[in-house]
Amino acid sequence: MESFIKESNFFKGNNPEDIAAKYGTPVYVYNEDILRDRMRRVSRIITKYEFHSNYSIKANTNINILKIALSEGLYTDAMSIGEMRMLLDAGFPAEKIFFVSNNVSREEMQFAIDNNILVSIDSLSQLEQFGEINRGGKCAVRINPGVGAGHHEKVVTAGKKTKFAIAEEDIDKIFDIASKYDLTIAGINQHVGSLFMDPEPFLQAVKNFLRIAMKFKNLEFIDFGGGYGIPYHKLDDEQEFPMDSFKKDFELLIDEFVKDYGYAPLFKTEPGRYCVAESGVILGRVHATKQNSGVKYIGTDIGMNVLVRPSMYDSWHDIEFMRDNEIVKRENLTEQTVTGNICESGDILAKNRMLPAVKEGDLAIVLDAGAYGYAMASSYNTRPRPAEVLITSNGEVKCIRRAETYEDIMRLFDC
Ligand SMILES: *Cc1c(COP(=O)(O)O)cnc(C)c1O
C-alpha cells in the first residue's frame, strides 16, 4: 500500500502537527477503531467451543487500553505483580486474569493467591513452592512442547534452547508434586514464541500440545499461547495473518482432540502483539539530515529509548513522512538510514531503507508501534518517556498518559 496512515484514515481528520504541538514529539498515538477491531478478531479465533483470548498485556499496559480490552470482553495474561495490579485497577475481575509466572518470588505467588488469580507455574521447583504456600490449591502448569517459533532467537520461547516451562518428560513429576500437596492442575499452557505469519508451525505446536494434554485428566482448560504476527512490511504489501483459514484448521485439530478426550475443556490463546501493534504509531520529528562516508542519515527524535525493538531484535518498522499535512510520496527513493538522538551507535530505527527525500522539520511516523513500544521505553540519556494519546472512535484526541517530566525522574532521589 502507498500509505497506511492515509488508507486507514489513522488520524481521523486531526492534523498530526496539532498533536505534535500539544504533546511534543515523540508521542505515541493510538487509533481506537483499529484497536477494537483487532481485539474483536482475537475474540473469535475459535467459535465452535468455549474459548477465551487472554490479551497478554506486557505488549501494552496502558491502563486506558486495558479498559478497552475489558469492554471488548477479553481475558488477560499478567507477568508480574505490577501487571496484576494494573489489571485490577483497570476493573478486571480476578477470574479474567491469568498470572503466567516465570522465576517469581513467593511474595508474587502469594499476591496472586490472595487475589484469587490463577497462576501458571513454570518449573518443578516453583510447583513445590506453590504447594508449600497453597496446599490444596489450584494452578496451571506451563509445558514446553519441544518446538518453538518466532521472528528472532530472542523471542522463541519453546524448544530445546529456552528458559521457559516444564519439559514433557517431567510430567510425571508434576503429578507427584501435585499429589504431595493435594494440588489441582486446572489447566496447561504453552507459548511457542512470538511473531509468526505462517500458521503451520503454530498448528503443529497445537497438535503436539493436544497430544500432551491427553496425559492430564480432568483439565478445565488448555491454553495454546500467543505469538500471532502482524504485517510489519505493510508498505511492501505484506499480507495479514490468515485468521479465517487458521480458524478452520485450528478447530479441526480441536474436534479430533475432543473426540478422544471425552469432553471439551475451555480453550484459550494469549495474543499480545496482534491486539495492539497496528493500532499505535510514533509521531516524531526529523531534526537533521547528513551524509557520512556515503551513507545518508535521517536524524530524528525517535531514539531507542522510545522504541527499542529495532536495536534489540533488528525489527522492521515501516516509516512514513509528513510535510505540510501531506504524506511525503514514496518516489525517487534512495537508500537512507533513520536514527534517533541517543548516544549509542546502535540507536538505529531503520538501516539502509529505500526512502523519499526528507527535510528537517518533517514529521516521521513509525508504524505498528502499539506493541512492545511504550511498554519497553525507558528514560535512557535522561530523556523522559513520551506521552500517549488516543484518537477515539468519534475522532477526538484524548491524552491517555502524559509525558514523563524531568521532575518525575528527580522524584526518585527522594529516598
Ligand atoms: C509475551 C507472551 C505472549 C504474547 O506474545 P505475542 O507475541 O505478543 O502474541 C503470550 N504468552 C506468553 C506466556 C508470553 O510471554
Side-chain angles (χ1 to χ4, degrees):
M1 67 178 75
E2 172 61 28
S3 164
F4 172 74
I5 294 297
K6 253 195 216 166
E7 285 188 27
S8 65
N9 188 21
F10 192 89
F11 292 100
K12 292 197 134 200
N14 295 287
N15 185 343
E17 282 293 357
D18 293 342
I19 296 173
K22 181 153 183 200
Y23 298 97
T25 62
V27 55
Y28 274 87
V29 185
Y30 301 92
N31 177 301
E32 183 176 356
D33 292 341
I34 299 175
L35 189 60
R36 287 187 183 275
D37 174 73
R38 299 307 187 268
M39 288 179 170
R40 281 171 200 171
R41 287 188 200 174
V42 299
S43 304
R44 298 190 300 251
I45 294 178
I46 287 174
T47 49
K48 192 170 170 183
Y49 297 95
E50 205 195 336
F51 169 78
H52 294 156
S53 258
N54 285 12
Y55 166 44
S56 182
I57 74 162
K58 72 178 196 276
N60 189 317
T61 46
N62 186 301
I63 195 164
N64 297 292
I65 286 177
L66 300 183
K67 287 176 184 169
I68 291 174
L70 178 63
S71 77
E72 289 297 339
L74 290 178
Y75 286 58
T76 57
D77 269 12
M79 306 289 163
S80 64
I81 288 185
E83 289 193 353
M84 287 186 272
R85 289 186 63 179
M86 186 89 77
L87 284 163
L88 292 168
D89 283 342
F92 279 88
E95 65 268 20
K96 288 195 170 182
I97 306 173
F98 186 38
F99 178 33
V100 183
S101 75
N102 175 239
N103 307 331
V104 299
S105 67
R106 285 178 193 232
E107 289 71 27
E108 284 176 272
M109 281 186 197
Q110 193 64 53
F111 181 89
I113 294 163
D114 291 345
N115 285 281
N116 297 315
I117 292 171
L118 191 71
V119 186
S120 152
I121 304 286
D122 189 65
S123 62
L124 296 173
S125 100
Q126 294 242 284
L127 190 59
E128 282 274 354
Q129 293 170 54
F130 183 84
E132 282 166 18
I133 61 175
N134 197 29
R135 179 175 283 278
K138 197 190 239 194
C139 65
V141 285
R142 179 166 174 176
I143 307 291
N144 182 345
V147 285
H151 68 97
H152 188 285
E153 196 179 338
K154 286 184 189 157
V155 298
V156 173
T157 50
K160 299 250 183 290
K161 288 198 270 183
T162 175
K163 69 165 182 164
F164 293 107
I166 302 173
E168 189 184 344
E169 55 263 32
D170 285 337
I171 287 177
D172 285 340
K173 293 183 190 140
I174 294 175
F175 298 143
D176 292 345
I177 297 169
S179 79
K180 178 169 158 197
Y181 295 103
D182 194 22
L183 297 174
T184 303
I185 306 294
I188 56 172
N189 55 301
Q190 71 168 359
H191 177 58
V192 296
S194 196
L195 216 186
F196 50 84
M197 294 305 285
D198 175 5
E200 208 40 53
F202 184 81
L203 289 167
Q204 280 303 324
V206 166
K207 203 169 165 177
N208 187 41
F209 201 51
L210 289 170
R211 176 186 61 73
I212 293 171
M214 291 300 296
K215 301 185 181 183
F216 289 81
K217 300 287 164 254
N218 307 319
L219 285 175
E220 288 174 28
F221 70 87
I222 299 173
D223 178 345
F224 299 101
Y228 309 95
I230 63 106
Y232 281 102
H233 293 259
K234 44 175 57 67
L235 296 184
D236 292 327
D237 300 319
E238 186 184 5
Q239 298 303 298
E240 294 190 333
F241 183 78
M243 264 316 170
D244 292 340
S245 62
F246 171 69
K247 169 191 170 60
K248 284 200 198 92
D249 295 339
F250 200 171
E251 286 184 345
L252 280 175
L253 291 177
I254 291 179
D255 287 342
E256 278 177 43
F257 169 78
V258 171
K259 254 190 279 159
D260 295 343
Y261 200 63
Y263 69 93
L266 168 67
F267 295 102
K268 299 193 207 189
T269 186
E270 305 173 335
R273 178 190 321 274
Y274 193 91
C275 297
V276 288
E278 294 180 278
S279 73
V281 302
I282 304 167
L283 202 57
R285 185 76 69 189
V286 175
H287 286 312
T289 55
K290 72 164 136 183
Q291 196 147 348
N292 271 2
S293 311
V295 180
K296 279 164 119 178
Y297 288 97
I298 300 173
T300 74
D301 55 8
I302 307 168
M304 63 194 288
N305 58 317
V306 178
L307 182 71
V308 77
R309 298 188 68 251
S311 306
M312 189 165 168
Y313 310 120
D314 293 321
S315 299
W316 177 288
H317 282 266
D318 278 331
I319 305 173
E320 298 191 39
F321 294 93
M322 217 167 183
R323 187 180 307 146
D324 304 330
N325 207 21
E326 292 285 341
I327 295 289
V328 176
K329 279 217 168 59
R330 288 203 300 147
E331 53 194 21
N332 305 321
L333 306 182
T334 58
E335 200 171 274
Q336 303 180 67
T337 290
V338 187
T339 67
N341 50 5
I342 296 298
C343 291
E344 290 276 346
S345 47
D347 180 33
I348 289 175
L349 198 53
K351 199 170 185 172
N352 303 336
R353 189 75 65 90
M354 296 306 286
L355 294 169
V358 170
K359 290 197 296 207
E360 296 83 2
D362 289 351
L363 284 172
I365 307 174
V366 179
L367 305 187
D368 305 318
Y372 307 109
Y374 189 98
M376 287 185 167
S378 74
S379 55
Y380 187 40
N381 275 204
T382 313
R383 291 188 176 278
R385 287 179 294 178
E388 295 183 288
V389 302
L390 180 72
I391 312 282
T392 65
S393 293
N394 54 25
E396 286 164 39
V397 181
K398 193 172 127 191
C399 179
I400 56 169
R401 172 150 43 191
R402 69 166 171 81
E404 195 174 35
T405 63
Y406 175 72
E407 287 70 28
D408 291 330
I409 294 172
M410 290 309 283
R411 203 160 293 141
L412 299 177
F413 295 111
D414 297 336
C415 53

